[in-house]
């Protein structure tokens, strides 16, 4: 196990817990290792290479630490009061950071972005609250006088090229009213002075800058959810409609510009197959495909350091790989050499010095949550900096293998199978774990806490990218539209039968478990296939689709339209709502939910519970009044996973949590 030198510098911020190895299944599962917060959540190298900045989770807040690279000395810390968090940060210059904040609202445990911006120098000086609802409360000891209206807006940084001499940040500004038209503004990171750049011509907007830092495109939609793309030739020019989502749902949006800003690169959805990257000449409107894959969409885009020039992309074709528009560029050679040096891992350059001489790289895999290395691009040497979760030993973790199978209608499906370390991979108790979303969300190869914990308990874990999932093109996503309980559910059934046919799963020891839509799919699965599974667990799920559609329509008109398009008509959805099919369920059920969940309100779980009890079925529940869409507090997650493992063990026979795990108390628990 690694313990990086840089962690020593963070001891001043938080007590570092001792390394606790994950216990073998025979001794019980150390749930605490899986719910424990990362030792840091993000780390970025300064443009001059003099500093690292890292976010550090504390017991009740998230702090930012700046560490001098040569000495590992902390030069500055930034932390606010209880329940206030540093959500994100960026180096705006060699010496100054721009910080975005989050806070806990009302009874909700999980913090949310507030739209507040703070700037701070690397030595901790000139810390200023620039925008947000607390801009004038004096809590930071700021010296700038609040600007009129700065406390009635939320501001969010826009991705822009790095400019060494620039003292302003480009931000999206949202007034405090429902569904507003956002503005684009420059904000001085020393004085907080804001200058209007433009108003978006469309709501729900995303902005795209060129290599001069000018906003040239904006995409968004109105309540009809039809996406539109607007363009302007430069600062001060009017917006013109550039493109609209077509009748088949296809849309194109910018991902960057050529060095001279004469060519825009678009990610273009196709009628059939994965998205492509297209280069479009803005003068002639000539276009050509410059990058794509036959099987999967482009995922993360790789840019030239400090610019908006796209060079390549990651493709999640089973395991992640990179491909470049021009394989001869230095960046392509850098990536391929790093991938060779760290074979079997995913490698990503996360930040670089302005001159490119030093690069911070993240190395991760299915068995490694992530290590950060500092790579000297001149001398070709890498030095270990930090391990995100150093208490996990990659040699003891369970491997995740990409799998492919055919659905009953012939559609190719892809997913991942995790099997216990050292097992034969055959005849195992199986947990089928559908992802949430469902639309556009994708399970990917990498370290997955739940899959690792379940494998540690002795289970094989099957994660399927059923139709409707992201990553495989527009037509694959649209194939899931209005198929809640239909072909999306059939895909999970087919995957279960595949696991049995492959000899992976013991056909008499299979359970369904998922969160959000995955919770729906778990309960729908045991209602639709009552003899295939031995139990079902639903975490923050939705179980009454007519209620969900009606709630969406009442909350926001655009959400109501989305539900009609993607879920279906309320009159047709009762037949595929698990709470209205409780009498068909033959197996034990476990439900968990949060009382402050706005995405999948706790009423869904309570309606499901009531229906099961009325039908005389076995059901147990765990409700936390103050949690939202997924439990946030470590003690609540520990309690939840302890209960989940015990529940699964009673049906499948796997290991339970070790003694002392899961001692948290639910405010409303059953």
């Amino acid at each position: 196990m690694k313990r990086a030198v840089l962690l020593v510098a963070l001891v001043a911020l938080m007590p570092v817990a001792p390394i606790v190895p994950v216990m073998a299944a025979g001794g019980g599962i150390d749930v605490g290792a899986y719910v424990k917060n990362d030792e840091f959540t993000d780390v970025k190298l300064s443009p001059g290479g003099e500093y690292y900045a890292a976010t550090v989770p504390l017991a009740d807040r998230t702090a930012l630490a700046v560490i001098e690279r040569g000495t590992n000395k902390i030069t500055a810390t930034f932390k606010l009061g209880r329940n206030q968090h540093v959500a994100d940060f960026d180096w705006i210059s060699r010496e100054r950071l721009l910080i975005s904040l989050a806070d806990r609202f009302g009874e909700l445990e999980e913090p949310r972005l507030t739209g507040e911006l703070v700037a701070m120098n690397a030595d901790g000086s000139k810390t200023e609250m620039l925008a947000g609802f607390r801009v004038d409360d004096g809590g930071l000891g700021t010296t700038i006088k609040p600007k009129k209206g700065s406390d009635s807006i939320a501001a969010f940084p826009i991705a822009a090229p790095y400019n060494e001499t620039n003292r302003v940040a480009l931000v999206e500004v949202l007034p405090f009213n429902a569904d507003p038209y956002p503005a684009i503004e420059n904000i001085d990171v020393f004085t907080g002075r804001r200058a209007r750049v433009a108003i978006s011509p469309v709501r729900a907007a995303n902005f795209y800058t060129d290599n001069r830092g000018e906003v040239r495109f904006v995409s968004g939609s109105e309540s009809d959810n039809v996406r539109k793309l607007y363009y302007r030739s430069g600062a001060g020019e009017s917006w013109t409609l550039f493109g609209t989502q077509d009748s088949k749902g296809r849309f194109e949006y910018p991902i960057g510009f050529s060095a001279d800003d004469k060519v825009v690169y678009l990610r273009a959805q196709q009628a059939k197959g994965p998205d492509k990257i297209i280069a479009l000449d803005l003068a002639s409107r000539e276009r050509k495909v410059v990058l794509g894959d036959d099987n999967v969409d482009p995922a993360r885009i790789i840019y030239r350091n400090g610019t908006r020039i796209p060079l390549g992309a990651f493709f999640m074709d089973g395991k992640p790989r990179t491909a470049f528009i021009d394989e001869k560029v230095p960046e392509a050679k850098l990536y391929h050499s790093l991938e060779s040096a760290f074979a079997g891992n995913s490698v990503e350059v996360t930040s670089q010095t302005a001159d490119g001489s030093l690069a911070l790289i993240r190395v991760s895999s299915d068995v490694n949550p992530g290590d950060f290395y500092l790579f000297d691009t001149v001398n070709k040497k890498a030095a270990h900096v930090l391990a995100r979760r150093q208490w996990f030993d990659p040699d003891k973790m369970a491997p995740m293998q990409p799998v492919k199978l055919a659905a009953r209608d012939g559609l190719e499906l892809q997913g991942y199978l995790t099997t216990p370390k050292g097992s034969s991979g055959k005849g195992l108790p199986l947990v089928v774990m559908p992802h949430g979303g469902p639309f556009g969300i994708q399970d990917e190869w990498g370290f997955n806490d739940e899959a690792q914990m379940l494998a540690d308990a002795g289970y094989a874990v099957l994660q399927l990218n059923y139709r409707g999932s992201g990553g495989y093109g527009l037509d694959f996503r649209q194939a899931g539209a209005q198929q809640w309980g239909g072909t999306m559910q059939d895909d999970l059934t087919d995957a279960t039968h595949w696991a049995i046919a492959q000899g992976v799963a013991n056909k008499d020891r299979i359970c369904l478990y998922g969160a959000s839509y995955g919770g729906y799919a778990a309960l729908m699965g045991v209602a639709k296939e009552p003899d295939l599974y031995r139990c079902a667990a639903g975490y923050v799920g939705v179980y009454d689709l007519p209620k969900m559609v009606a709630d969406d329509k009442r909350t926001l008109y655009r959400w109501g339209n989305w539900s009609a398009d993607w879920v279906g008509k309320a009159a047709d959805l009762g037949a595929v709502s698990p709470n209205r099919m409780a009498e068909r369920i033959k197996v034990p059920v476990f439900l968990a939910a949060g009382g402050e969940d706005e995405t999948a309100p706790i009423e869904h779980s309570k309606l499901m519970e009531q229906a099961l009890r009325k039908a005389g079925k076995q059901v147990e529940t765990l409700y936390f009044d103050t949690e939202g869409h997924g439990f946030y507090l470590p003690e609540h997650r520990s309690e939840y996973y302890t209960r989940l493992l015990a529940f699964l063990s009673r049906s499948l026979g796997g290991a339970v949590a070790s003694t002392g795990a899961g001692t948290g108390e639910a405010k409303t628990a059953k």
Side-chain angles (χ1 to χ4, degrees):
M1 297 184 184
K2 304 183 184 73
R3 188 154 190 86
V5 174
L6 187 54
L7 283 177
V8 176
L10 301 180
V11 173
L13 277 180
M14 62 180 294
V16 180
I19 298 174
V20 181
V22 179
M23 297 177 66
I29 306 306
D30 179 18
V31 171
Y34 294 101
V35 304
K36 180 181 174 182
N37 287 331
D38 291 358
E39 290 189 314
F40 65 95
T41 49
D42 201 3
V43 58
K44 296 177 184 179
L45 183 64
S46 68
E50 298 94 343
Y51 308 100
Y52 299 108
T55 40
V56 183
L58 306 178
D60 58 0
R61 67 202 74 187
T62 303
L64 178 71
V66 181
I67 303 107
E68 190 173 49
R69 186 173 65 84
T71 64
N72 282 342
K73 176 185 176 183
I74 292 180
T75 62
T77 60
F78 176 81
K79 56 182 177 180
L80 294 172
R82 186 171 181 266
N83 298 321
Q84 298 177 48
H85 301 261
V86 173
D88 197 8
F89 65 94
D90 277 300
W91 290 97
I92 199 73
S93 68
R94 291 173 65 107
E95 294 287 334
R96 196 154 180 81
L97 288 145
L98 184 65
I99 304 166
S100 298
L101 302 184
D103 204 340
R104 174 184 166 186
F105 290 93
E107 295 300 316
L108 182 67
E109 299 288 3
E110 184 173 9
R112 294 181 177 178
L113 286 171
T114 62
E116 295 173 284
L117 293 179
V118 173
M120 180 183 76
N121 283 347
D123 62 1
S125 64
K126 298 184 179 178
T127 301
E128 306 286 3
M129 179 77 82
L130 303 178
F133 70 97
R134 284 179 290 212
V135 73
D136 59 352
D137 72 355
L140 288 177
T142 57
T143 59
I144 61 174
K145 184 178 180 180
K147 303 299 181 290
K148 183 179 180 180
S150 293
D151 60 347
S152 61
I153 57 99
F156 305 94
I158 296 171
Y162 177 74
N163 185 334
E164 178 71 37
T165 62
N166 201 355
R167 58 181 283 150
V168 299
L170 194 65
V171 296
E172 174 186 356
V173 172
L174 293 171
F176 289 160
N177 57 62
D179 213 10
Y181 287 98
I184 312 157
E185 296 185 354
N186 280 315
I187 187 166
D188 189 299
V189 297
F190 288 92
T191 68
R193 184 175 293 108
R194 303 192 339 253
R196 181 64 54 86
V197 174
I199 293 285
S200 172
V202 64
R203 294 181 175 91
N206 292 297
F207 301 98
Y208 311 94
T209 64
D210 63 16
N211 287 295
R212 296 171 295 169
E214 299 286 353
V215 176
R216 300 283 296 281
F217 285 92
V218 57
S219 66
S221 63
E222 301 299 334
S223 59
D224 59 5
N225 295 317
V226 175
R227 292 171 293 175
K228 295 180 174 65
L229 180 66
Y230 290 85
Y231 166 76
R232 64 179 192 166
S233 57
E237 300 297 327
S238 300
W239 294 108
T240 59
L241 185 63
F242 193 85
T244 302
Q245 177 181 317
D246 68 15
S247 60
K248 294 184 178 180
R250 290 178 297 182
F251 188 63
E252 300 176 342
Y253 63 88
I255 59 169
F257 286 80
S258 60
D260 60 8
D261 292 325
K262 294 181 179 180
V263 173
V264 61
Y265 291 90
L266 303 169
R267 176 167 172 162
Q269 294 176 318
Q270 309 295 300
K272 287 286 185 182
D275 299 358
K276 306 296 182 186
I277 294 178
I278 290 172
L280 184 145
D281 187 296
L282 288 167
S284 67
R285 298 299 171 97
E286 179 183 351
R287 52 193 291 139
K288 63 178 180 179
V289 175
V290 294
L291 192 61
D293 183 84
D294 293 336
N295 300 315
V296 294
D297 294 340
R300 298 186 301 276
I301 303 300
I302 300 170
Y303 291 93
R304 177 154 291 155
N305 183 33
T307 76
R308 300 305 297 164
I309 304 171
L311 302 175
F314 284 84
F315 291 89
M316 187 59 68
D317 192 5
K319 295 182 179 181
R321 61 178 179 80
T322 57
F324 290 82
I325 296 170
D326 180 359
E327 290 287 347
K328 296 179 182 179
V329 297
E331 291 85 353
K333 296 177 181 178
L334 171 63
Y335 261 94
H336 295 330
S337 65
L338 290 171
E339 289 161 350
S340 177
F342 294 98
N345 291 273
S346 174
V347 182
E348 183 179 6
V349 176
T350 62
S351 56
Q352 288 180 267
T353 54
D355 64 5
S357 62
L358 295 174
L360 195 64
I361 61 173
R362 180 172 60 236
V363 178
S364 61
S365 72
D366 55 338
V367 296
N368 180 7
D371 286 293
F372 282 79
Y373 291 83
L374 185 67
F375 184 69
D376 184 329
T377 63
V378 178
N379 297 309
K380 311 299 183 187
K381 293 182 179 180
H384 189 259
V385 176
L386 279 172
R388 186 181 294 281
R389 304 172 78 182
Q390 49 80 31
W391 55 90
F392 284 121
D393 184 348
D395 291 336
K396 296 181 180 179
M397 308 312 295
M400 172 188 278
Q401 295 299 322
V403 298
K404 293 183 179 181
L405 58 107
R408 64 189 67 181
D409 61 1
L411 182 66
E412 183 180 80
L413 305 173
Q414 299 185 39
Y416 297 93
L417 179 67
T418 302
T419 53
K421 177 74 173 181
S423 74
S424 66
K426 300 295 182 182
L428 296 166
L430 174 71
V431 176
V432 180
M433 192 167 71
H435 64 69
F439 304 110
I441 305 301
Q442 179 185 15
D443 277 324
E444 297 183 343
W445 184 84
F447 192 93
N448 183 291
D449 285 298
E450 289 187 316
Q452 289 293 336
M453 183 183 65
L454 292 171
D456 195 21
Y459 304 116
V461 181
L462 180 60
Q463 298 169 265
L464 182 74
N465 286 318
Y466 46 81
R467 71 192 69 203
S469 301
Y472 304 98
L474 177 65
D475 57 329
F476 188 88
R477 179 181 179 185
Q478 289 181 326
Q482 301 188 11
Q483 289 299 318
W484 292 57
T487 53
M488 283 199 297
Q489 194 69 45
D490 292 340
D491 289 346
L492 292 168
T493 302
D494 294 344
T496 304
H497 285 300
W498 171 87
I500 296 170
Q502 294 294 311
V504 172
N506 179 330
K507 66 181 180 60
D508 297 319
R509 299 171 68 194
I510 305 174
C511 281
L512 274 165
Y513 160 59
S516 195
Y517 172 84
Y520 164 85
L523 272 293
M524 190 64 202
V526 293
K528 191 171 183 178
E529 305 288 343
D531 298 317
L532 184 58
Y533 302 102
R534 292 296 169 263
C535 66
Y539 179 32
V540 296
V542 290
Y543 308 112
D544 190 309
L545 298 190
K547 172 179 169 54
M548 184 183 77
V549 170
D551 288 348
D552 284 349
K553 188 174 182 179
R554 281 195 298 270
T555 302
L556 197 63
Y557 193 60
R558 70 163 70 244
W559 291 2
N561 286 337
W562 179 90
S563 287
D565 292 340
W566 287 92
V567 183
K569 296 179 180 178
D572 301 329
L573 296 176
V576 287
S577 292
N579 71 309
R580 305 184 187 199
M581 305 169 69
E583 71 285 348
R584 291 178 52 85
I585 296 174
K586 300 179 180 180
V587 299
V589 169
F590 176 43
L591 301 171
E596 295 293 320
D597 191 344
E598 296 178 358
T599 303
I602 197 171
E603 286 77 17
H604 281 272
S605 293
K606 291 186 175 181
L607 286 170
M608 189 74 238
E609 177 193 357
Q610 292 166 10
L612 288 165
R613 294 195 188 282
K614 184 177 180 180
K617 309 299 181 178
Q618 297 181 56
V619 57
E620 59 182 279
T621 64
L622 179 64
Y623 302 143
F624 287 107
D625 293 342
T626 59
E627 291 283 9
H629 196 56
F631 298 160
Y632 177 74
L633 292 181
E635 58 267 32
H636 289 175
R637 286 185 283 139
S638 180
E639 176 73 16
Y640 167 65
Y641 286 120
T642 298
R643 293 276 299 272
L644 176 66
L645 288 173
F647 170 80
L648 292 173
S649 181
R650 288 193 288 272
S651 293
L652 301 183
V656 297
S658 57
T659 303
T663 57
E665 293 295 327
K667 290 185 179 178
T668 306
K670 296 179 182 177

